[in-house]
Amino acid sequence: MAHTVLTQADITRALTRISHEILESNRGPDNLVILGIPTRGVILARRIADIIQRIEPAATMLRVGSLDVTLYRDDLAHGRTRTPSRTEVPGSIDGATVVLVDDVLYSGRTIRSALDALGDHGRPTIVRLAVLVDRGHRELPIRADFVGRNLPTATDERINVHLVESDGDEFVSIDGGSNR
């Protein structure tokens, strides 16, 4: 039985806070590139970019795109892959501040793959990570710079992120686990 942990309003507040934090850490929108990791990370990246542009109307040069990591994953031999999505890196990332955006941070392996993929597109000055949910259980020394919500979970639980653009409704739930 799934238990809702974030509503649509909670998600909106988290993304607004993350957007402000990105602007503060970057000292404005200059030289900022926001790249979402498919599928829901791309949606979240676009939303963050929209919020940043509302906060900073002069942020007309804000670049947003997507970075598919499918072929960089270290679990390709295990058959847990999906069809690769398009990578759309808007312009050069050399010398830029790149913010990678994903929906859930778990083991860190997807982000390791994203860092490998990013290296094929250039050399940013700094790479930061924004996630809607950090559920813990890291297998690699990776942490998010901007987190919507920390949700400690059991390893047998699953975080389900639903966004209007991809799922028709909007919430985050936890499903499974022996204590639910």
Side-chain angles (χ1 to χ4, degrees), residues 36-42 66-71 73 75-76 79-87 102-103 110:
I37 298 172
T39 297
R40 288 170 185 83
V42 174
S66 62
L67 183 69
D68 185 74
V69 302
T70 304
L71 299 179
R73 296 191 60 90
D75 57 0
L76 287 175
R80 295 180 30 207
T81 60
R82 58 183 175 83
T83 304
S85 300
R86 280 188 62 166
T87 289
D102 205 3
D103 56 351
T110 298

Side-chain angles (χ1 to χ4, degrees), residues 154-157 175-180:
T155 55
D156 61 344
E157 291 177 316
D175 199 9
S178 54
N179 295 337
R180 295 224 185 263

Side-chain angles (χ1 to χ4, degrees), residues 32-140:
L32 191 59
V33 179
I34 301 172
L35 297 176
I37 298 172
T39 297
R40 288 170 185 83
V42 174
I43 296 166
L44 296 172
R46 288 186 186 129
R47 287 192 194 179
I48 288 169
D50 289 344
I51 294 167
I52 287 174
Q53 288 180 323
R54 283 196 304 271
I55 297 167
E56 296 271 346
T60 57
M61 299 303 292
L62 185 63
R63 297 180 286 158
V64 62
S66 62
L67 183 69
D68 185 74
V69 302
T70 304
L71 299 179
Y72 294 86
R73 296 191 60 90
D74 62 3
D75 57 0
L76 287 175
H78 296 86
R80 295 180 30 207
T81 60
R82 58 183 175 83
T83 304
S85 300
R86 280 188 62 166
T87 289
E88 296 177 3
V89 177
S92 174
I93 61 169
D94 290 337
T97 296
V98 173
V99 178
L100 296 173
V101 181
D102 205 3
D103 56 351
V104 178
L105 177 57
Y106 183 33
S107 66
R109 293 187 179 281
T110 298
I111 304 309
R112 187 216 42 86
S113 301
L115 293 170
D116 287 349
L118 193 61
D120 285 350
H121 293 278
R123 190 173 191 275
T125 298
I126 190 166
V127 178
R128 301 205 185 277
L129 175 61
V131 297
L132 180 60
V133 175
D134 183 344
R135 65 172 289 184
H137 304 287
R138 219 71 78 239
E139 296 172 4
L140 299 170

